[in-house]
């Protein structure tokens, strides 16, 4: 392992990737920015007759503002602080953020409030079924609006080649889709097994149990699930694990 760990990050190629790269540098790592997601807006607008409107990402907050959607008397819910901050920056009031920043955490927070209520979920085309099924089971009338689609950028793959060559010390996966796109890229380059072998020798950190399950199902050994569903916490804990491994190796 190199003295300065190389850590792959798969955020969309916008300010999120810039912030993630800067954070990893501040933590003493050598980031490998490799966007595995790109956003294609649908132009869809959330319903205006809902009692609750749920947003699950910063991207959704920005796109819904671009459509001109205006909230009224509904309760606006954000799945986590980053989404809440983005909504406020766009001029929306945020009424509810769950203590656990996941779909299951949001379901747990809303479960006793939404029986008979209309709940609008505004998000990407790759949202977890946990939110839909959980709120439906709680008695809500659930409607989903797809604000954007998540696709794999054509230029992705730098980190895949590095993993296959054994040149990655760690990888930070932020969603199931980043895992799937990483392996799809590897398969297209005919280096899937080599990339998997490279990840086995690296530290793999993920956000959330669903991402961990996807990675495990696809043959990737997960070393840590971030204690909080934010990239900041994932980065800190991944770098800490890599540093710990380096210290242990040197004893």
């Amino acid at each position: 392992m190199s003295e300065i760990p190389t850590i792959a990050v798969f955020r969309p190629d916008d300010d999120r990737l810039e912030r993630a790269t800067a954070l990893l540098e501040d933590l003493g790592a050598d980031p490998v920015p490799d966007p595995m997601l790109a956003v294609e807006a649908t132009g869809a607008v959330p319903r205006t007759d809902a009692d609750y409107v749920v947003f699950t990402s910063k991207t959704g907050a920005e796109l819904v503002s671009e459509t001109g959607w205006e909230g009224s008397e509904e309760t606006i819910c954000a799945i986590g602080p980053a989404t809440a901050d983005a909504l406020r920056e766009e001029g929306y009031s945020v009424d509810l953020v769950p203590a656990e920043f996941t779909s299951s955490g949001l379901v747990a927070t809303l479960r006793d409030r939404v029986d008979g209520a209309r709940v609008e979920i505004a998000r990407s085309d790759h949202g977890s079924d946990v939110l839909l099924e959980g709120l439906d089971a709680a008695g809500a009338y659930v409607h989903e609006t797809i604000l954007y689609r998540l696709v794999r950028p054509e230029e992705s793959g730098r980190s895949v080649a590095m993993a296959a060559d054994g040149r990655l010390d760690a990888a930070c996966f932020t969603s199931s889709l980043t895992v799937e796109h990483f392996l799809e890229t590897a398969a297209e380059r005919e280096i899937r097994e080599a990339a998997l072998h490279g990840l086995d020798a690296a530290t793999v950190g993920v956000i959330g149990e669903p991402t961990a399950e996807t990675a495990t199902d696809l043959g990737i050994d997960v070393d840590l699930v971030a204690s909080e569903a934010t990239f900041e916490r994932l980065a800190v804990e991944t770098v800490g694990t890599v540093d710990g491994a380096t210290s242990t190796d040197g004893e």
Side-chain angles (χ1 to χ4, degrees):
M1 183 177 294
S2 59
E3 185 175 343
I4 299 176
T6 55
I7 301 182
V9 55
F10 309 112
R11 306 290 275 166
D13 192 9
D14 53 27
D15 60 325
R16 284 167 291 185
L17 186 62
E18 293 175 4
R19 290 198 303 269
T21 299
L23 175 60
L24 287 170
E25 289 174 343
D26 289 344
L27 292 170
D30 179 15
V32 180
D34 192 7
M36 284 291 166
L37 298 176
V39 174
E40 289 185 352
T42 64
V45 181
R47 294 175 61 167
T48 57
D49 61 348
D51 301 301
Y52 293 81
V53 179
V54 174
F55 294 96
T56 64
S57 69
K58 175 181 181 291
T59 299
E62 294 169 344
L63 290 178
V64 78
S65 178
E66 292 176 9
T67 68
W69 181 80
E70 295 183 3
S72 55
E73 299 299 320
E74 66 279 299
T75 297
I76 295 182
C77 309
I79 202 166
T83 304
D85 288 345
L87 285 164
R88 294 186 185 105
E89 288 176 7
E90 299 297 334
Y92 300 108
S93 297
V94 178
D95 303 297
L96 187 150
V97 180
E100 179 188 331
F101 311 145
T102 63
S103 293
S104 57
L106 189 53
V107 169
T109 300
L110 291 174
R111 183 178 293 121
D112 296 332
R113 310 184 188 196
V114 296
D115 187 17
R118 295 184 298 273
V119 180
E120 172 76 343
I121 299 174
R123 60 180 185 176
S124 80
D125 63 330
H126 281 81
S128 167
D129 289 337
V130 169
L131 198 53
L132 300 175
E133 294 172 356
L135 294 176
D136 181 72
Y141 299 100
V142 183
H143 180 267
E144 181 182 34
T145 294
I146 302 302
L147 299 176
Y148 58 101
R149 300 183 181 89
L150 292 170
V151 299
R152 178 163 55 93
E154 293 182 1
E155 65 275 14
S156 63
R158 175 188 176 197
S159 65
V160 173
M162 291 182 68
D165 292 339
R167 294 186 289 122
L168 270 190
D169 295 316
C172 292
F173 290 102
T174 51
S175 68
S176 292
L177 201 55
T178 58
V179 176
E180 293 167 0
H181 284 178
F182 179 94
L183 291 178
E184 286 174 10
T185 303
E188 288 179 1
R189 298 185 178 204
E190 299 183 348
I191 54 173
R192 188 178 189 277
E193 292 307 313
L196 283 171
H197 182 72
L199 289 181
D200 283 344
T203 296
V204 175
V206 304
I207 288 181
E209 291 297 338
T211 306
E213 291 173 8
T214 297
T216 300
D217 289 345
L218 292 175
I220 297 174
D221 290 331
V222 174
D223 297 291
L224 70 97
V225 179
S227 60
E228 180 181 282
T230 64
F231 182 80
E232 289 75 14
R233 182 47 46 190
L234 174 62
V236 168
E237 294 176 0
T238 300
V239 171
T241 301
V242 174
D243 286 344
T246 303
S247 299
T248 301
D249 290 343
E251 292 177 353

